[in-house]
Amino acid sequence: MNENCLEGMLCPVCGNQEPFEISGSSWFLVFQDGVDEPSEVEWDDSSPCRCPACGHTATVGYFMSDA
Ligand SMILES: [Zn+2]
C-alpha cells in the first residue's frame, strides 16, 4: 500500500493524523463462494471521511490541512 496515502491529512476537530475511515470505491475479485481482497482502492477529495478518534465526519478534502 502507498504509505503516503494520508499525507497532509489532519482532523480539524481533534488533531488526529491517522487512521481515517474513508468511503471509496474499489475493484473486487468475486468468486462463486466469496469475495477476494479488494484491490485498486480509490477515493478523492469528495469521498466521505470519518475520524475514528472523535467521530467527526466530512469529506476527504475537508481533512486536508493544506486546503
Ligand atoms: Zn478527530
Side-chain angles (χ1 to χ4, degrees):
M1 295 297 290
N2 183 357
E3 295 182 354
N4 296 319
C5 283
L6 300 178
E7 187 168 4
M9 288 190 69
L10 176 73
C11 177
V13 175
C14 74
N16 175 48
Q17 293 185 320
E18 69 172 335
F20 293 101
E21 295 176 293
I22 297 175
S23 177
S25 61
S26 60
W27 290 86
F28 301 89
L29 275 176
V30 182
F31 302 91
Q32 290 188 44
D33 58 350
V35 182
D36 205 349
E37 289 292 310
S39 61
E40 299 182 47
V41 179
E42 296 179 350
W43 66 87
D44 58 32
D45 287 354
S46 63
S47 298
C49 180
R50 180 168 58 199
C51 172
C54 72
H56 181 64
T57 304
T59 62
V60 171
Y62 192 74
F63 281 83
M64 300 299 289
S65 58
D66 294 338

